[in-house]
Amino acid sequence: MHGSGSAEEPGAAGGTGVDHEFLALERELAVFLRRARASSGEMAREVHPELEPAAYGLLVRLESAGRQRATELAAYFGVGKATMSRQLRALEDLGLVAREPDPADGRAWLVRLTDEGLARFRSVRDARRGRYVRKLAGWDRAEVAELARLLRQLNARAEE
């Protein structure tokens, strides 16, 4: 049986409905997310001093998924078209992304990383990976793989 709760409610403390495992998860995720937001801000500034922290995720997505329509990006990030348009315009003004006609639909545009945007992004990403390697140097590779698997599972469930 999972948890250390009472017979009344598995995983609950003394039948009070407080699930300690989920409270611990919530607490650790809050710390992790706070650090991730701060890290995204730092990485965004490393890519370009004027880059907004929220726009860094767009670079990540464009590098991994390739050219995308603005509507696809907005749907992926769960933001409105106006917000996405503003963020893309800022990235375009910084020379990090460019728009090109969609060959499948001449009325639509695809957004892609520019050569400069790709080079800047990869430089920062590689430095970040180096920090992960150093921070997790004492971990077994299987533990790192398990953490990645669990986070992938959590992310997949969040998208459902």
Side-chain angles (χ1 to χ4, degrees), residues 11-77:
T16 63
V18 176
D19 192 326
H20 293 286
E21 293 86 358
F22 284 95
L23 286 173
L25 174 63
E26 180 182 20
R27 187 172 43 252
E28 295 306 322
L29 281 175
V31 171
F32 180 79
L33 291 171
R34 188 170 50 250
R35 287 184 176 150
R37 276 191 294 274
S39 179
S40 283
E42 292 169 13
M43 289 184 296
R45 285 186 297 279
E46 288 175 29
V47 170
H48 193 285
E50 296 174 36
L51 184 63
E52 292 182 30
Y56 182 81
L58 284 168
L59 302 180
V60 172
R61 179 66 180 167
L62 288 169
E63 198 272 343
S64 67
R67 303 179 309 170
Q68 302 261 292
R69 288 185 180 186
T71 53
E72 293 171 318
L73 290 166
Y76 179 81
F77 287 103

Side-chain angles (χ1 to χ4, degrees), residues 67-145:
R67 303 179 309 170
Q68 302 261 292
R69 288 185 180 186
T71 53
E72 293 171 318
L73 290 166
Y76 179 81
F77 287 103
V79 299
K81 287 190 282 185
T83 298
M84 183 55 57
S85 182
R86 181 184 60 76
Q87 289 181 342
L88 290 173
R89 193 169 31 259
L91 287 169
E92 204 169 13
D93 290 346
L94 296 174
L96 302 174
V97 302
R99 297 174 199 241
E100 56 190 35
D102 184 344
D105 180 354
R107 300 166 297 167
W109 294 86
L110 294 173
V111 181
R112 66 168 176 81
L113 288 172
T114 62
D115 290 342
E116 179 182 356
L118 183 59
R120 286 175 177 247
F121 168 76
R122 285 184 174 167
S123 173
V124 171
R125 181 202 56 200
D126 292 348
R128 179 188 62 200
R129 281 189 183 155
R131 287 191 294 269
Y132 286 154
V133 169
R134 286 188 300 279
K135 286 182 180 182
L136 301 177
W139 288 37
D140 182 271
R141 288 249 182 201
E143 291 174 320
V144 175

